[in-house]
Amino acid sequence: MQDSSTLLAEAKPRKVQKGVQPQSAIDDIVKSKWARPSNSDAARSTGKRKGGQDITLRQQPKPTDHHPEKHAGEAPKLHQRHVEKFTQEHKHKGDIKRSKKKEEEKARVLEQERLAALKYEKELKAEAEAKERKNKLEQAKAEKVQRDVYIPEVVNVSNLAKILGIRLEQMISTMQALEMPNTKHDHMLTADESSLIAMELDMNPIVDSQAALDLFPRQQPEDMSIFPSKPPVVTIMGHVDHGKTTLLDTLRKSSVAAGEAGGITQHIGAFSVDLPSKKRITFLDTPGHAAFSAMRSRGANVTDIVVLVVAADDGVMPQTVEAIKHAQAANVPIIVAVNKCDKHGADPHRVKQELLQHEIQLEELGGDIPSVDVSGLTGKGLDELEENIVTLAEVLDLRAERNNTAEGVVLESNIEKGRGNVATVLVRTGTLKPGSNVVAGNALCKVRSMTDDKGKPVKEALPGMPVKVIGWKELPNAGDEMLQAPSESVAKTVVANRIAKVQRKQQLEDLEVINDKRRRQREQVEAERNAERAYKKEMWMFHQGLITQYPETLNKRLSDIQVGNTPQEEAEDKVKELRAIIKGDVSGTVEAVVDCLNGLHTPEVRVKVVSSGVGNISESDIQLAAACEGHVIGFNVKADKRIQQQASISNVPVKSYNVIYKLLDDVKASLCDMLPPIISTQVNGEATVLQIFQITVKGRDTKPIAGCRITNGSVTRNGRVRVVRNKETIWEGELDTLKQVKKDISEAKKGLECGMAFEGFTDFKEGDIIQSIQTIETPRTF
């Protein structure tokens, strides 16, 4: 095939017409070996030359001019436009690319933050769950320590309930749930059965007969008719000064009321009365003052019959109602003795009507409670009262076993000179003899001797008989249950176990406080760490522009997290305390005094009993009071001269009382002195500023003077004043001068015109009101 150059050389020359390409253009195309593009190449377009002839040229995409300097031969303006065109297009494309890349980077950062926040929340949740699991484990561990119980090899159902500290009904229901066949209270259980019951109650049983050794009262036999009868224990209860003790004095032909300080009973008295019918009644005399509520409750719980004494001239009083509630709670039958019937103005019928309001329905009013009109001074109606007591005792058929170990209750305990620790014990069952080993609470006693209520020695104490027991190593508390031990070694072991049990309980309480303190410290550390993390995160977000508000400072956050005392502890820290060391003659009275003092408190002041005990005020009491900056309060006990001298040197107040209400009144007065006084302002006079004068004081210096007229009361020169403008106090202070014309005066009364100047205040105006005031401090009452 011939090439294009040969074909063109053979072609005839022809005239170049208008609109046809010249030969030079064709030569250029040939030299470039131009070939016709295919249909898929560039498209064609139509254009016009200078002469207006239409031509069709192939269209090619405009090339990108990356080197605008090659057009340097162009005109300057054309070259400039050329350069600007390609430069702007390149810059625009670069901006679009950069903005797109920035948006992608921002989206990537936001996604990373979202994932980091999710991860942070998961970590916090996991930490909270781990902390909760740890707290539960610690709590379970603490509970497991608290539930350790010592169980003997063999024990009956009733005693096991006492060892586990649950009620007998709950014990029986637990045994029924375990499908145990015998659930009677006297059924004997083995160590395995006892352990199974303890584990069912979420306790940790420890089989140790020595550590579990204790004494428990015997259960009452089902058939009491085989045992001999016992004298009824009758408790005399009622309001203070209703004649209870006088009534008992007449019964036993003695004078006890004369020996009581203030004419009121402040101890539990116990004595036996032999009737002409050769029957015996044991009487308990309880205090009627409001402070001795615990004594009255104790008397109702150890008695068989309650004689409620109500004065015919006074009627039902608060302590009468309280005695009724104690008797009803103890489920003890009541006999009403309306005393002072022979007194002028007495109305027994009104008293009986008042008793109906408190569920005391007397026989003469259609009820079942007997009532007797008596007189403690003349002995009127006492025979009828004794007859009612004996009749009711026969109906109750009171019996007790004698040929067994003694059981009873401590009524009172005190320290007697020459005898040491002495306790008044009421024997309830069994027989108590000298040489017996008894335990009451945490006190041990080997009975050296016993005396009756008249001071005569007795060889044995039968049921229903009150005796004074001598030989206690420690002083028992009033209300403690007295139980006889088979031997001295058993008694010592029992006391040691009880003391150890109390110590374990105290240790567990202290451990709870320590654990709670440590838990709060751990929570504080954890909260501080979380606050620091949150602060760092918020600071990073603030610097990244994700949040606009500047984060709260780290110190402020940490100060808000500081763990201190609980709100209750903080409130208690603000309360002022009157610390007291209480000493008394008998334990029951000390208990009553402590209970009363603990009840004296307000949100601002309170009494804190640091220590209490029975016996005379000792040197150690003075030292303890000096250490705690407290007071020593004695009840029916005194401090000798040496102790008083030491108290004076140590600056410790020592006060002794023999009447309970005097003691309470003095303590209330001391608490009132600790309360901040009530400060009030009293206006003694008023004056109105009518005109302001300028007077020369030194050289050319002038001083404003308020020309006033006294409109009410009087204004004194040495008193405080305040300036009132538009019903608002703008200044308060002292007067500098008070003059009438040119004369200094000490007082300006109503209607007088005077001039006043104030110390450090000159901004007064016409129409201001000047008030003469007085600050009054009123002591607070408790």
Side-chain angles (χ1 to χ4, degrees):
M1 181 177 178
Q2 295 179 354
D3 56 5
S4 59
S5 59
T6 306
L7 293 174
L8 292 173
E10 294 177 355
K12 294 181 180 181
R14 53 183 178 178
K15 187 178 179 179
V16 178
Q17 298 180 355
K18 190 176 181 179
V20 179
Q21 294 183 1
Q23 185 64 32
S24 60
I26 296 174
D27 294 339
D28 292 336
I29 293 173
V30 172
K31 289 180 181 180
S32 62
K33 298 181 180 181
W34 177 83
R36 183 181 297 275
S38 62
N39 295 333
S40 61
D41 293 341
R44 296 184 177 275
S45 62
T46 305
K48 291 184 179 181
R49 281 186 173 274
K50 188 175 180 180
Q53 183 180 359
D54 294 336
I55 59 173
T56 301
L57 298 175
R58 60 189 180 88
Q59 291 183 348
Q60 295 181 354
K62 293 182 179 181
T64 302
D65 193 349
H66 296 289
H67 304 283
E69 64 275 4
K70 70 180 181 179
H71 301 284
E74 295 178 341
K77 291 184 177 180
L78 180 63
H79 179 69
Q80 183 66 25
R81 287 197 302 270
H82 198 90
V83 172
E84 290 178 354
K85 173 184 177 183
F86 289 102
T87 304
Q88 289 176 358
E89 289 181 357
H90 181 71
K91 182 179 180 181
H92 179 66
K93 291 180 181 180
D95 291 343
I96 294 175
K97 188 174 181 181
R98 282 193 298 272
S99 63
K100 185 177 181 182
K101 186 175 181 181
K102 187 174 182 180
E103 289 178 358
E104 292 177 354
E105 181 68 19
K106 186 175 181 179
R108 185 178 62 81
V109 171
L110 292 175
E111 182 66 17
Q112 289 179 353
E113 290 179 358
R114 187 181 69 82
L115 295 176
L118 291 175
K119 183 178 179 182
Y120 182 70
E121 291 178 358
K122 290 181 180 179
E123 290 178 354
L124 289 180
K125 187 176 180 180
E127 289 179 1
E129 292 177 353
K131 182 180 178 182
E132 185 177 359
R133 287 195 299 269
K134 185 177 180 181
N135 291 337
K136 287 183 178 179
L137 290 175
E138 292 179 354
Q139 185 177 2
K141 186 177 180 181
E143 290 178 355
K144 184 177 180 181
V145 173
Q146 292 180 2
R147 294 191 183 116
D148 287 347
V149 290
Y150 292 92
I151 296 175
E153 296 288 344
V154 179
V155 63
N156 62 26
V157 174
S158 177
N159 291 343
L160 181 61
K162 294 177 182 179
I163 291 174
L164 300 180
I166 61 175
R167 298 178 60 185
L168 183 60
E169 293 79 3
Q170 184 181 359
M171 182 75 180
I172 294 174
S173 62
T174 304
M175 295 176 65
Q176 291 175 350
L178 293 173
E179 298 181 354
M180 291 187 175
N182 195 341
T183 59
K184 290 185 177 181
H185 65 85
D186 57 351
H187 176 64
M188 303 303 294
L189 298 172
T190 63
D192 294 337
E193 292 173 335
S194 301
S195 301
L196 183 62
I197 295 171
M199 288 186 291
E200 181 67 17
L201 295 171
D202 294 332
M203 298 183 185
N204 182 27
I206 301 174
V207 180
D208 189 344
S209 298
Q210 190 70 14
L213 182 61
D214 203 346
L215 296 176
F216 302 100
R218 297 185 300 275
Q219 293 294 327
Q220 185 175 354
E222 296 180 359
D223 186 10
M224 293 295 297
S225 61
I226 61 175
F227 299 109
S229 60
K230 74 178 187 69
V233 179
V234 180
T235 300
I236 308 297
M237 304 181 72
H239 192 70
V240 63
D241 200 27
H242 276 201
K244 300 183 298 298
T245 305
T246 304
L247 187 65
L248 288 175
D249 290 346
T250 307
L251 284 172
R252 67 173 182 171
K253 306 297 186 296
S254 64
S255 180
V256 177
E260 293 285 357
I264 64 172
T265 301
Q266 300 175 130
H267 307 84
I268 286 186
F271 57 89
S272 298
V273 175
D274 293 325
L275 303 178
S277 59
K278 297 184 180 180
K279 292 188 177 181
R280 175 175 290 186
I281 301 176
T282 299
F283 285 100
L284 301 182
D285 183 17
T286 59
H289 193 274
F292 300 96
S293 176
M295 285 190 183
R296 288 190 294 275
S297 176
R298 190 178 307 125
N301 289 326
V302 301
T303 191
D304 299 318
I305 300 172
V306 168
V307 174
L308 182 65
V309 178
V310 187
D313 61 336
D314 204 3
V316 177
M317 300 300 289
Q319 271 64 58
T320 309
V321 178
E322 183 187 351
I324 293 172
K325 292 180 179 179
H326 286 319
Q328 291 174 344
N331 196 21
V332 178
I334 299 175
I335 298 176
V336 176
V338 183
N339 197 16
K340 302 183 182 180
C341 291
D342 54 349
K343 191 174 182 180
H344 178 70
D347 189 359
H349 183 70
R350 179 181 61 85
V351 172
K352 296 173 183 178
Q353 292 291 336
E354 291 178 355
L355 290 172
L356 288 175
Q357 302 176 6
H358 304 283
E359 301 179 359
I360 302 297
Q361 297 180 358
L362 304 180
E363 290 179 346
E364 56 188 87
L365 298 179
D368 56 352
I369 297 177
S371 65
V372 183
D373 295 343
V374 298
S375 174
L377 292 176
T378 63
K380 174 186 174 183
L382 295 186
D383 294 339
E384 186 180 355
L385 177 60
E386 292 177 352
E387 183 180 351
N388 276 274
I389 294 173
V390 172
T391 303
L392 185 55
E394 291 177 354
V395 172
L396 295 175
D397 192 20
L398 303 173
R399 297 178 180 272
E401 55 180 331
R402 297 183 179 181
N403 300 324
N404 208 330
T405 56
E407 296 179 6
V409 61
V410 177
L411 299 178
E412 286 285 10
S413 60
N414 63 326
I415 301 175
E416 292 186 2
K417 189 174 182 179
R419 290 186 174 184
N421 297 328
V422 178
T424 301
V425 176
L426 176 64
V427 180
R428 306 182 68 178
T429 181
T431 302
L432 183 63
K433 298 180 180 179
S436 302
N437 294 282
V438 294
V439 174
N442 296 334
L444 171 67
C445 173
K446 186 170 184 179
V447 181
R448 291 205 311 264
S449 62
M450 297 183 297
T451 59
D452 59 9
D453 58 288
K454 299 178 182 63
K456 296 180 180 180
V458 294
K459 294 184 177 179
E460 62 179 11
L462 298 176
M465 183 177 179
V467 290
K468 281 189 175 181
V469 178
I470 303 168
W472 296 90
K473 294 186 177 180
E474 298 291 339
L475 201 64
N477 296 322
D480 286 345
E481 193 173 34
M482 186 209 71
L483 299 171
Q484 184 176 345
S487 63
E488 186 176 0
S489 61
V490 172
K492 290 181 178 179
T493 304
V494 168
V495 172
N497 289 341
R498 290 183 179 182
I499 295 174
K501 186 177 180 180
V502 172
Q503 292 175 351
R504 286 196 301 269
K505 184 178 179 181
Q506 184 63 41
Q507 289 173 358
L508 290 175
E509 292 177 356
D510 296 342
L511 184 62
E512 288 180 359
V513 175
I514 294 172
N515 288 337
D516 182 65
K517 188 70 174 179
R518 290 178 177 176
R519 177 184 58 79
R520 286 190 286 159
Q521 289 177 352
R522 289 196 300 269
E523 290 177 354
Q524 177 185 355
V525 172
E526 188 65 24
E528 289 177 352
R529 291 177 180 174
N530 293 337
E532 187 175 357
R533 295 173 186 171
Y535 172 74
K536 290 181 179 179
K537 180 180 178 181
E538 292 178 7
M539 285 297 297
W540 179 83
M541 295 175 69
F542 175 77
H543 290 303
Q544 293 296 324
L546 301 177
I547 57 176
T548 57
Q549 186 177 1
Y550 192 82
E552 188 179 23
T553 61
L554 182 60
N555 291 334
K556 178 68 169 54
R557 302 185 187 196
L558 295 180
S559 62
D560 294 339
I561 299 174
Q562 294 298 324
V563 174
N565 295 330
T566 61
Q568 181 178 0
E569 293 174 345
E570 292 177 355
E572 290 180 354
D573 291 341
K574 297 179 182 179
V575 178
K576 295 181 179 179
E577 291 181 342
L578 175 64
R579 301 178 182 88
I581 288 86
I582 309 299
K583 297 300 288 288
D585 57 341
V586 296
S587 60
T589 304
V590 172
E591 177 190 19
V593 172
V594 171
D595 290 342
C596 289
L597 295 182
N598 288 331
L600 298 178
H601 60 83
T602 67
E604 298 173 290
V605 294
R606 67 177 178 183
V607 178
K608 182 177 182 181
V609 179
V610 179
S611 175
S612 62
V614 177
N616 291 324
I617 300 173
S618 62
E619 185 178 352
S620 59
D621 298 328
I622 303 299
Q623 294 174 354
L624 179 59
C628 67
E629 298 180 357
H631 298 218
V632 177
I633 299 176
F635 191 79
N636 286 332
V637 294
K638 295 182 179 180
D640 55 26
K641 292 183 179 180
R642 183 177 60 84
I643 298 299
Q644 292 178 357
Q645 184 179 3
Q646 182 183 358
S648 177
I649 295 173
S650 303
N651 197 21
V652 174
V654 178
K655 295 182 180 180
S656 297
Y657 304 88
N658 54 11
V659 180
I660 185 68
Y661 56 77
K662 291 184 179 179
L663 183 152
L664 297 179
D665 290 343
D666 282 0
V667 173
K668 288 179 181 179
S670 299
L671 290 175
C672 292
D673 294 339
M674 297 172 63
L675 291 171
I678 300 174
I679 300 176
S680 58
T681 303
Q682 179 179 347
V683 178
N684 297 326
E686 289 185 350
T688 304
V689 179
L690 302 179
Q691 191 175 356
I692 300 175
F693 302 95
Q694 298 289 338
I695 63 172
T696 304
V697 287
K698 291 182 180 179
R700 296 182 179 180
D701 295 338
T702 60
K703 181 178 180 180
I705 299 295
C708 306
R709 177 184 289 119
I710 308 300
T711 59
N712 189 19
S714 62
V715 177
T716 58
R717 166 68 181 80
N718 297 325
R720 290 184 65 84
V721 295
R722 63 186 178 190
V723 180
V724 180
R725 182 181 300 164
N726 297 329
K727 298 182 180 181
E728 293 184 1
T729 302
I730 61 174
W731 181 81
E732 182 176 334
E734 304 288 340
L735 278 175
D736 187 16
T737 58
L738 179 63
K739 293 188 176 184
Q740 185 182 14
V741 190
K742 294 183 179 181
K743 180 182 178 181
D744 291 329
I745 59 176
S746 60
E747 184 180 10
K749 296 185 178 180
K750 183 178 179 180
L752 185 69
E753 293 184 353
C754 58
M756 297 184 190
F758 311 98
E759 290 186 359
F761 180 71
T762 58
D763 191 21
F764 44 83
K765 298 180 180 179
E766 294 181 3
D768 289 348
I769 297 176
I770 312 300
Q771 292 182 345
S772 175
I773 59 175
Q774 179 182 2
T775 302
I776 301 175
E777 294 186 357
T778 305
R780 297 272 295 276
T781 57
F782 192 80

